[in-house]
Amino acid sequence: EAVANEILAAQGELRTIDELQWIARNELQASQRVVADEIRRIKNGEGWYALSKLTNVLNASRTMMASMDFSGALRQGGFFTYSKPEAQRQAFANMFNSIGEKGYGRAIQDLEASANFVLSQRMGIDYAVAGKIDEGSMMGEELFRGEKTIENVPIIGKLVAEGVVKWSERTYTAFLDTQRYVMADLFAKELMAAGMTFRSHPEEFKKIGDFINIATGRGVMPSNKWAKLLMDLPLFAPRYTLSRFQLINITLNPVAYANMPPAARKIIAKQALRFYGTTMGILGLAATLGAAIGASVNWDPDDDDFGKISVGNTKYDIFVGMLPTAKLLIKIVHSAIRTKGSFGDRVHGELW
């Protein structure tokens, strides 16, 4: 019993040390932000600095729109929530445990201490917070890049940031970073079970890394420089929007599949089959039982509610943000086919 008590006491002390490290890490990042901002101001001039402040205001507006919202699990993280729901328990647990700062720090530190975390980084997994300790690492989800601007608003800034924004960001990033690690760990073990290692088959592991990034809303860019430029555009979520185009391509384009390494192709095809099978099954069920449950499905690609389930005045989008992209692509294909074949204008509501 005495030994057990000593072990428990030691574990408590380790947790205290971890919490202190987390506090120090946050303070270091805050200092780095101030220094990096001043360096950019000196290097690029006052004109650039004023423009960056305008961008920060735009970032703040989308941060407020994204706050107090748990939809990350079914939107940005929805692909794997549908395709591999049995693997999301840890992600949901970390999301709710991260409402408080201590729980959030513990969740991120536990991820970083996980057995295959370093391997996941080598695979190219683009975490929002886990494993990132400096401003040059493109930290955070793009929807919450306006937090510091909100915090600097006189009188109410700190109150809004602490009471609304920060816990929203914690739950959002904790869920997505956990999901990214869990899926990377799962798929890496599948590759290793087939006799592969990162050293012998890096292309297989890196393709899976790209797939996970895309599926969880981190559109793949050539470099962090390009990613930052994209995230600073005056759009609601430009990198997430890019990822929806890339997700449709990587899961539905035969040419993309043909260019994948074989083991990665098998994994991605299996996840795509499960995702589209689940979502189309839900749509089919809603359409079949619509009269009985008061639901309907919109099949008109010209309509804003294309592919959505309607129950009364409420619309449900189960396609993790891909519907606007799919609608645009359908229109482009329609136009190309009809222009090439001289079929005339498409009738409103006609699918093909």
Side-chain angles (χ1 to χ4, degrees), residues 51-67:
L51 180 61
S52 70
K53 291 303 178 185
L54 175 60
T55 301
N56 289 342
V57 172
L58 296 173
N59 286 338
S61 66
R62 66 187 181 192
T63 295
M64 288 304 302
M65 292 174 65
S67 295

Side-chain angles (χ1 to χ4, degrees), residues 190-267:
E190 191 170 333
L191 293 175
M192 289 187 284
M196 302 179 193
T197 64
F198 185 84
R199 182 184 295 274
S200 65
H201 293 81
E203 71 286 352
E204 297 278 8
F205 288 83
K206 288 181 178 179
K207 174 54 70 173
I208 292 298
D210 284 347
F211 171 54
I212 292 171
N213 288 336
I214 291 168
T216 57
R218 307 283 273 187
V220 175
M221 299 291 291
S223 67
N224 278 350
K225 178 181 178 181
W226 284 102
K228 188 178 188 308
L229 287 173
L230 182 67
M231 290 171 72
D232 284 341
L233 290 176
L235 301 172
F236 183 69
R239 194 175 181 190
Y240 170 75
T241 301
L242 171 65
S243 76
R244 300 306 90 176
F245 282 96
Q246 293 177 331
L247 184 57
I248 289 176
N249 177 63
I250 201 172
T251 57
L252 292 176
N253 185 358
V255 177
Y257 277 110
N259 291 325
M260 292 179 192
R265 178 169 58 237
K266 180 180 177 181
I267 290 173

Side-chain angles (χ1 to χ4, degrees), residues 98-112:
S98 294
I99 292 176
E101 182 66 35
K102 285 186 178 181
Y104 181 55
R106 188 174 301 122
I108 298 300
Q109 289 174 317
D110 286 348
L111 277 185
E112 294 169 343

